[in-house]
Amino acid sequence: MKTCTKVFIATSMTLVSLMTNAQNTCNETLSLFAGNVTSKNFSKAKSQLNYLRKNCATINSAIYAHGETVLTHELKNATNKKEAALALIQLYKDRIANVPAKTKKGLILTKIGGVMLNYKIGSLKEQYDVFDEAFTNDSKNFKNPRYLYQYFDLYYQMYASKEYGISLENFIEKYEAVNEKFEYEKLRLSNIKVDVLAKKEKNKTLTAKEKNRIKVATKNIAAIDQFTKNMVLLLEKEVTCETLVPLLEEKFESNKTNLQWLRKAAGRLDAKNCTKSPLFLELVIAIDITEPTAESKYYLYTIYKRKGDEEKAQHYFEAYLSYENDGTKKAKIITALGNKAAQKGQKSKARTLFLKALKFDPTFGSAYINLARLYASSANDCGTDEFSKRATYWKAAEMAKKAKQVDASKKQEATELINFYMQAAPSKTDIFNEGYKGGEKLPIKCWIGGTVTVPKL
């Protein structure tokens, strides 16, 4: 029994010793390998890479990082490009299999897909599947703008071939998914630029690494803009109002209360400028019924207004006012309507709207500014003589003064208007010559009505 125990211990110690020696050999080889790669001694590095992949495949991700440099160099100089490309792809696959914890799968898979595309390896579906696995399982690390576009383009080719059972709706959904990813990446890159530039403001200088981050982010943002345009061109080739409306009509009845579907469908029609389709109105009404909001009420108001249905437009406008809790938003919209009325010469209606806007937000200076301009525009129509006509400018100046009092953002504009209107109004000499002392109330004899106070001498 003692003899067996001694044999077991000796064998174990031998195995441990062999494993330790093997580990040391792997580490030493890896160190030499890294040095040769750094010094671009690729011939020696290649034999070391082969040894490491055969005997030390799981010890360190650096094997594959440096191995990529070696095999990329070989591919660049290879006579048989396809064979060298396949070798590089196998290295990528081995990395995923052997050091998964140290591998960004989405990044490596897209590199595989890129090599397959560049060297025409695999079928259209096989190329697409590699990118799709990256997009589906590790979208976070699927960042390269070119690869993202190639992923979409491959799907488009499959759709256009009509051999893969991809419907128009599938194609639209893929566009939306990739476009959303592009938007995310653009925001991420923009934030990188903002952060780095903020450091520049603080430190007055940037490191070489920070400058490179700015350069890469700027380059990739430009690439995203271009690839997004290319995607839109492909989408427009296939998706028109004539193809999109029937597609959505088929599913409308079964999705009348599906808010997510309704919004997406309305968004698709809006994006393709198919808003004149009766279906678009039905979608917006369904959205409003399912989840009524101030936005849905206002949108329906604009649709019916455009259609010339004043009764329904007014109904939805009043509904909007009851749903909207932000007084400033209501004031802005009503003031905009007042401006439109003023442009049409409907001055009394315009005034009513400006005053209504001020009821919702008494500090909304734009309404007072517009009232001032409105009154000033009627100076020649108010009064029976030059003095009484010019007196209208006092009323205009009065409105501009109110704008200045309630809204600091309008102070400069209001001051300029006050100065202009007071110069156009009767002077102190004119007031004296007319026999006024100041403080008298003069009637304004036109649509404005009311009175205006003569300034004191």
Side-chain angles (χ1 to χ4, degrees), residues 135-171:
F135 193 82
T136 304
N137 298 327
D138 190 14
S139 180
K140 178 182 176 182
N141 291 304
F142 194 154
K143 300 177 182 179
N144 186 296
R146 180 172 294 280
Y147 291 157
L148 274 168
Y149 175 70
Q150 288 174 332
Y151 171 53
F152 176 75
D153 184 59
L154 287 168
Y155 193 79
Y156 170 72
Q157 291 180 50
M158 290 165 62
Y159 162 76
S161 73
K162 303 188 185 304
E163 296 176 6
Y164 298 88
I166 299 173
S167 67
L168 177 62
E169 186 172 16
N170 295 148
F171 175 61

Side-chain angles (χ1 to χ4, degrees), residues 25 162 237 317 443:
T25 301
K162 303 188 185 304
K237 283 176 64 177
F317 186 70

Side-chain angles (χ1 to χ4, degrees), residues 239-310:
V239 183
T240 63
C241 294
E242 289 73 22
T243 58
L244 185 58
V245 170
L247 174 69
L248 297 175
E249 282 178 334
E250 288 179 10
K251 301 193 174 184
F252 177 61
E253 285 300 323
S254 59
N255 286 282
K256 269 190 171 181
T257 58
N258 183 340
L259 192 60
Q260 184 178 1
W261 185 89
L262 291 168
R263 284 177 172 164
K264 184 176 286 188
R268 287 173 178 174
L269 289 177
D270 188 35
K272 292 300 298 177
N273 198 27
C274 306
T275 54
K276 292 182 180 179
S277 163
L279 176 63
F280 182 73
L281 178 56
E282 289 184 70
L283 287 166
V284 179
I285 290 173
I287 292 170
D288 182 64
I289 292 171
T290 306
E291 188 179 279
T293 62
E295 289 74 16
S296 66
K297 299 297 183 187
Y298 184 72
Y299 206 80
L300 284 166
Y301 157 73
T302 60
I303 291 175
Y304 282 113
K305 187 72 175 177
R306 189 170 61 242
K307 291 167 69 72
D309 191 331
E310 293 295 333

Side-chain angles (χ1 to χ4, degrees), residues 211-409:
K211 288 179 181 178
N212 188 60
R213 289 187 76 197
I214 288 277
K215 182 179 179 181
V216 171
T218 301
K219 180 181 177 181
N220 283 339
I221 287 172
I224 287 172
D225 287 339
Q226 184 57 55
F227 289 135
T228 301
K229 289 178 183 177
N230 293 349
M231 283 175 57
V232 170
L233 290 175
L234 292 179
L235 184 74
E236 288 179 344
K237 283 176 64 177
E238 306 297 332
V239 183
T240 63
C241 294
E242 289 73 22
T243 58
L244 185 58
V245 170
L247 174 69
L248 297 175
E249 282 178 334
E250 288 179 10
K251 301 193 174 184
F252 177 61
E253 285 300 323
S254 59
N255 286 282
K256 269 190 171 181
T257 58
N258 183 340
L259 192 60
Q260 184 178 1
W261 185 89
L262 291 168
R263 284 177 172 164
K264 184 176 286 188
R268 287 173 178 174
L269 289 177
D270 188 35
K272 292 300 298 177
N273 198 27
C274 306
T275 54
K276 292 182 180 179
S277 163
L279 176 63
F280 182 73
L281 178 56
E282 289 184 70
L283 287 166
V284 179
I285 290 173
I287 292 170
D288 182 64
I289 292 171
T290 306
E291 188 179 279
T293 62
E295 289 74 16
S296 66
K297 299 297 183 187
Y298 184 72
Y299 206 80
L300 284 166
Y301 157 73
T302 60
I303 291 175
Y304 282 113
K305 187 72 175 177
R306 189 170 61 242
K307 291 167 69 72
D309 191 331
E310 293 295 333
E311 184 178 345
K312 284 188 177 179
Q314 189 60 30
H315 165 76
Y316 282 109
F317 186 70
E318 293 301 325
Y320 159 74
L321 294 178
S322 67
Y323 271 83
E324 181 59 78
N325 295 317
D326 189 324
T328 302
K329 283 185 178 180
K330 289 190 273 195
K332 284 181 179 179
I333 288 173
I334 295 170
T335 298
L337 295 176
N339 285 329
K340 289 181 179 178
Q343 289 167 7
K344 295 177 181 178
Q346 300 169 341
K347 295 185 178 183
S348 184
K349 180 180 179 181
R351 176 178 57 188
T352 300
L353 288 165
F354 294 143
L355 293 174
K356 187 174 184 178
L358 287 165
K359 286 183 179 179
F360 288 114
D361 184 359
T363 67
F364 193 62
S366 289
Y368 278 122
I369 290 290
N370 284 303
L371 275 170
R373 295 183 186 279
L374 191 65
Y375 291 160
S377 70
S378 292
N380 288 330
D381 304 321
C382 298
T384 55
D385 55 27
E386 188 67 19
F387 185 88
S388 58
K389 288 181 178 181
R390 290 171 59 198
T392 307
Y393 287 110
W394 287 328
K395 192 69 173 178
E398 183 184 319
M399 295 299 104
K401 287 175 184 176
K402 287 186 178 181
K404 188 175 179 179
Q405 290 167 359
V406 301
D407 192 342
S409 68

